[in-house]
Amino acid sequence: MSKLRFAIVGCGVIHGTHVDAIRALPEDAELVAVCDEVGDRAKVVGEKLEVRHFRDLTAMLDWGQFDVLTVCTPSGLHGACGVLGAKAGKHIVCEKPLDVTLAAADALIAACQENKVKLEVISQHRFSSGMQLLKGWLDEGKLGKLVYGESVTKWYRTQAYYDSGGWRGTWDLDGGGALMNQGVHYVDQLRWIMGPVKSVAATMGTIAHERIEVEDIVSATIEFQNGAVGTLLASTAMFPGYKQSLEIYGTHGAVQIDNSRVRHAQFASGDEEQSMFGVKAAEPVVKDGIFTATGEKAELSLSQGAGDPRAISLGGHVAHLKDLITCIREDRETFMNGQEARNALELIVGIYQSAKTGTRVNFPL
């Protein structure tokens, strides 16, 4: 199959990462058009990149000379733009989150299914070596029965960040604050590893920023259907911005990940010394950033952004596009499909419901 033609709607901060990811795959993908309704933004970007430019998505879809629509608009417009693209027969790449409401997310998933197009939602951390190792260990049973999972996002955003766009910090278009926008990746990873959620209790506040409707800090306690428990923290008020971390503990193993890199992993070897105080565990699998089992160096973070939303590396986005292109050519389901993305969104929506009502929320919503 010839290379796939991509068009981007939304020329804000994240569009440049998608441009670079598309151009990193010159044998398989090419960018042919951009669209943005704000001023001359699309014209400036289109002329710089030497591609077609449009101010209206409908006009770009009417032109139609592309295969994949990449949605980089404000979060609350993801579903609507994706539905238009799917109805026009375009495969969809959607930036996180899938949308800010379950209704809009479900409409996009349904539109892609009805029109037989692929949907790939960006969750680049899943492709990191750390998460791939963790998922492999989990599937192999090395952690035993899951006991506890912890997701922490201690990031920082300036007031200028929220003031830079009228949609930022609004419930309608941003869908939330630190959790929906910044913490969503580690919410996805926690849900991916720990499984379906039974209930959640949460609290949130807006402490360090002004002129925003949404939270800049939120914490939650989670009960999973498998009996395990978890905690979650997401903030954009932690000056100057720190690592994201995911910690997973089971009856026979523990894995700690910082910024998508395994910091520590330790498993029971099967012949441990037993005592009344527990197990003398095997040596750590990872020490000083080196995997002792294979000698392979731990991969650096695929995505940074702790203090700067533009500081996002390219590897995960390229992996997503490779997956989408392969799935289109082989007609199979994408790795990060609509339902997978919906799982994370449902947890976020439930956390917000709990924080707003002051009650524990049960799942499914």
Side-chain angles (χ1 to χ4, degrees), residues 142-209:
K142 292 178 72 67
L143 280 82
K145 182 180 179 181
L146 292 177
V147 174
Y148 174 75
E150 177 182 281
S151 168
V152 176
T153 300
K154 294 180 179 179
W155 279 14
Y156 180 71
R157 292 293 181 264
T158 64
Q159 185 64 47
Y161 165 80
Y162 287 107
D163 291 341
S164 67
W167 67 278
R168 294 193 186 280
T170 66
W171 286 110
D172 285 345
L173 292 180
D174 217 354
L179 185 60
M180 181 72 81
N181 199 312
Q182 285 77 28
V184 58
H185 290 298
Y186 272 59
V187 173
D188 170 60
Q189 291 180 86
L190 183 68
R191 171 63 175 78
W192 188 36
I193 298 300
M194 299 299 293
V197 175
K198 182 177 180 181
S199 68
V200 66
T203 185
M204 65 183 181
T206 308
I207 300 173
H209 297 93

Side-chain angles (χ1 to χ4, degrees), residues 13 17-18 21 35 62 103 120 136 145 148 150 152-154 156 159 225 227 230 266 272 314 320 327 329:
V13 171
T17 301
H18 286 268
C35 174
D62 287 343
E120 181 97 28
K145 182 180 179 181
Y148 174 75
E150 177 182 281
V152 176
T153 300
K154 294 180 179 179
Y156 180 71
Q159 185 64 47
Q225 288 186 12
Q266 191 163 330
E272 314 84 5
L314 202 58
H320 270 296
C327 290
R329 290 174 174 172

Side-chain angles (χ1 to χ4, degrees), residues 80-94:
C81 291
V83 166
L84 289 175
K87 288 182 176 180
K90 309 304 179 186
H91 303 287
I92 306 297
V93 173
C94 183

Side-chain angles (χ1 to χ4, degrees), residues 46-250:
E47 290 179 351
K48 176 183 177 181
L49 299 176
E50 298 182 340
V51 299
R52 294 288 294 266
H53 55 85
F54 299 85
R55 285 196 63 180
D56 181 76
L57 176 57
T58 301
M60 187 166 74
L61 291 170
D62 287 343
W63 172 67
Q65 296 180 39
F66 59 96
D67 308 293
V68 182
L69 177 66
T70 298
V71 181
C72 295
T73 61
S75 302
L77 300 175
H78 285 178
C81 291
V83 166
L84 289 175
K87 288 182 176 180
K90 309 304 179 186
H91 303 287
I92 306 297
V93 173
C94 183
E95 256 300 333
K96 57 78 182 170
L98 185 57
D99 199 277
V100 301
T101 69
L102 293 176
D106 289 341
L108 175 53
I109 293 170
C112 290
Q113 292 173 343
E114 291 166 3
N115 292 279
K116 296 180 171 57
V117 297
K118 306 299 181 186
L119 171 60
E120 181 97 28
V121 185
I122 299 298
S123 187
Q124 67 266 29
H125 293 269
R126 282 200 184 194
F127 288 99
S128 69
S129 64
M131 286 306 299
Q132 289 293 309
L133 282 166
L134 170 54
K135 189 61 165 62
W137 291 328
L138 178 71
D139 292 344
E140 292 169 11
K142 292 178 72 67
L143 280 82
K145 182 180 179 181
L146 292 177
V147 174
Y148 174 75
E150 177 182 281
S151 168
V152 176
T153 300
K154 294 180 179 179
W155 279 14
Y156 180 71
R157 292 293 181 264
T158 64
Q159 185 64 47
Y161 165 80
Y162 287 107
D163 291 341
S164 67
W167 67 278
R168 294 193 186 280
T170 66
W171 286 110
D172 285 345
L173 292 180
D174 217 354
L179 185 60
M180 181 72 81
N181 199 312
Q182 285 77 28
V184 58
H185 290 298
Y186 272 59
V187 173
D188 170 60
Q189 291 180 86
L190 183 68
R191 171 63 175 78
W192 188 36
I193 298 300
M194 299 299 293
V197 175
K198 182 177 180 181
S199 68
V200 66
T203 185
M204 65 183 181
T206 308
I207 300 173
H209 297 93
E210 301 175 346
R211 299 183 295 280
I212 63 173
E213 302 170 357
V214 298
E215 87 290 351
D216 58 17
I217 188 167
V218 57
S219 65
T221 58
I222 303 166
E223 181 184 11
F224 294 95
Q225 288 186 12
N226 59 15
V229 298
T231 59
L232 180 149
L233 170 68
S235 180
T236 53
M238 302 294 187
F239 178 86
Y242 297 89
K243 62 190 178 186
Q244 285 182 300
S245 66
L246 181 74
E247 298 189 3
I248 306 295
Y249 298 88

